[in-house]
Amino acid sequence: KAENVLKTGKPINLDHKQGSGFYKLPKDTEKVEVWYPVLHGPNGEDGTIQGLFKLIGKPFVGSGVLGSALAMDKIAMKAAFTAAGLPQVPYISIHREKVLDKNFLEDQIKEIEEKLHYSCFIKPANLGSSVGITKANNKSQLINGLLKAAEFDNRIVVEQSVKAREFECAVLGVKEMKTSLVGEICFESEWYDYETKYSNASSHAIIPAVLSERITNKIREMSLQACHAVSVEGMARVDFFYNDSNDELWINEINSLPGFTSQSMYPMLWEASGLTLEKLVAQLVETAGELKNNNSAAKTSAIDCK
């Protein structure tokens, strides 16, 4: 069973010394059988805490270091999708240094205008929930968006805006990954920003999505391909864009640690697919042991070179 919460009912906090970062695990955590991370953002879903779990040799729910890191960094994720032949909207990656240097910035803006045109989206590479993301319809908005993204991350992605419906598919499992029904996200705002994502009044989901069987199957197939491309295991939510007019489907991104709020698509998709929240969590905990067994089969040890 998962015992990532002590008998007091309070979440476990990792001990640290002032100014020195992580120091040690709290007392009695050796009794924890399975770790279930519910942390979002840097240090929570980027492979950092997953590396700690691997070092202490305990099973944990979700992807390992590589899958978590690739899924978190949009630039690395997109590179892996490209290598796997998965279709994506055109994009350009930029480093913060070029944004903050006026000479480089002008060159970057020219490249964006020539390759992507307006409108476009500017995103920090390593954040989620649409934090720090802006939409630019002109040069002034583009500059402001780049500067805002640079406040959050060293790595920035600029994507071409497309007129499309947005769909999501949930993945569960390790050796035998399975996909949920496909759901559509409908929203009233111009785009699916932070406020819209976490406001019941601004967005709603349609599960199953009203799509042809061909496109539905394609989304489910590409969801599994995406997981393999970035080494994501255990659980994932894969997001897509689809343009009805020209029958064009693009993969948007993969989330290796999807949310479990009342508005979160991952549990909603599985609920609609016949898997209750209790059964879903139980299966996720089981995948932790499966992942640990897989890792043990190909286990190697670090060499002390003193």
Side-chain angles (χ1 to χ4, degrees):
K1 61 181 178 179
E3 292 182 347
N4 62 331
V5 177
L6 297 176
K7 293 180 180 179
T8 58
K10 296 179 180 179
I12 294 174
N13 295 313
L14 302 180
D15 286 346
H16 65 279
K17 289 184 176 180
Q18 186 68 31
S20 64
F22 173 77
Y23 175 53
K24 65 178 181 179
L25 289 168
K27 185 180 179 181
D28 292 332
T29 52
E30 67 274 6
K31 298 178 183 178
V32 175
E33 295 176 30
V34 175
W35 288 86
Y36 194 135
V38 290
L39 306 166
H40 290 287
N43 295 325
E45 56 183 319
D46 61 358
T48 306
I49 194 71
Q50 289 77 11
L52 174 62
F53 293 149
K54 288 198 71 174
L55 285 173
I56 63 175
K58 290 287 188 177
F60 59 93
V61 174
S63 293
V65 175
L66 178 60
S68 299
L70 287 175
M72 184 68 181
D73 188 290
K74 291 180 176 64
I75 296 175
M77 174 191 67
K78 287 178 176 294
F81 286 165
T82 298
L86 294 169
Q88 303 175 80
V89 299
Y91 72 94
I92 291 173
S93 58
I94 305 173
H95 197 276
R96 174 192 281 162
E97 291 179 359
K98 292 188 176 182
V99 172
L100 301 180
D101 186 308
K102 290 184 178 179
N103 295 323
F104 279 118
L105 180 58
E106 283 299 323
D107 292 338
Q108 291 294 318
I109 290 172
K110 184 178 179 181
E111 182 183 6
I112 292 168
E113 291 178 333
E114 290 178 351
K115 293 184 177 180
L116 305 183
H117 314 295
Y118 296 110
S119 56
C120 58
F121 285 98
I122 306 99
K123 304 178 179 182
N126 285 279
L127 284 178
S129 298
S130 297
V131 175
I133 296 179
T134 56
K135 184 177 182 180
N137 297 303
N138 53 53
K139 183 176 179 179
S140 175
Q141 291 178 352
L142 175 59
I143 293 173
N144 290 334
L146 289 170
L147 291 173
K148 181 175 181 178
E151 294 176 4
F152 291 93
D153 200 350
N154 286 322
R155 291 152 63 81
I156 300 165
V157 175
V158 183
E159 296 176 354
Q160 185 180 84
S161 175
V162 293
K163 186 177 181 180
R165 297 161 67 188
E166 298 196 19
F167 298 93
E168 298 184 354
C169 183
V171 179
L172 172 65
V174 180
K175 290 182 179 179
E176 295 184 11
M177 288 186 171
K178 56 186 178 181
T179 56
S180 70
L181 295 172
V182 175
E184 180 174 9
I185 299 291
C186 302
F187 45 89
E188 299 173 4
S189 60
E190 185 179 4
W191 57 282
Y192 200 35
D193 58 6
Y194 181 91
E195 184 177 349
T196 303
K197 283 184 177 181
Y198 298 102
S199 171
N200 280 321
S202 301
S203 66
H204 67 277
I206 300 175
I207 307 172
V210 182
L211 277 172
S212 69
E213 184 179 355
R214 179 180 63 85
I215 294 298
T216 297
N217 290 338
K218 193 171 183 180
I219 287 175
R220 298 176 75 173
E221 180 184 351
M222 287 173 61
S223 295
L224 295 176
Q225 291 173 342
C227 288
H228 293 308
V230 296
S231 192
V232 164
E233 300 173 300
M235 64 174 159
R237 192 200 70 235
V238 191
D239 304 345
F240 296 86
F241 298 130
Y242 177 62
N243 188 321
D244 291 283
S245 61
N246 59 10
D247 193 34
E248 200 163 2
L249 179 67
W250 302 276
I251 187 167
N252 177 24
E253 63 182 13
I254 187 168
N255 190 318
S256 65
L257 199 61
F260 270 77
T261 70
S262 60
Q263 297 135 270
S264 296
M265 280 293 280
Y266 189 81
M268 288 169 58
L269 286 166
W270 282 118
E271 182 83 34
S273 302
L275 199 60
T276 64
L277 181 61
E278 293 79 8
K279 290 182 179 178
L280 173 59
V281 172
Q283 288 195 24
L284 285 169
V285 171
E286 288 177 9
T287 65
E290 195 175 348
L291 280 166
K292 182 172 172 51
N293 291 336
N294 277 359
N295 293 333
S296 298
K299 189 174 181 181
T300 58
S301 301
I303 299 174
D304 189 345
C305 297
K306 289 182 180 179

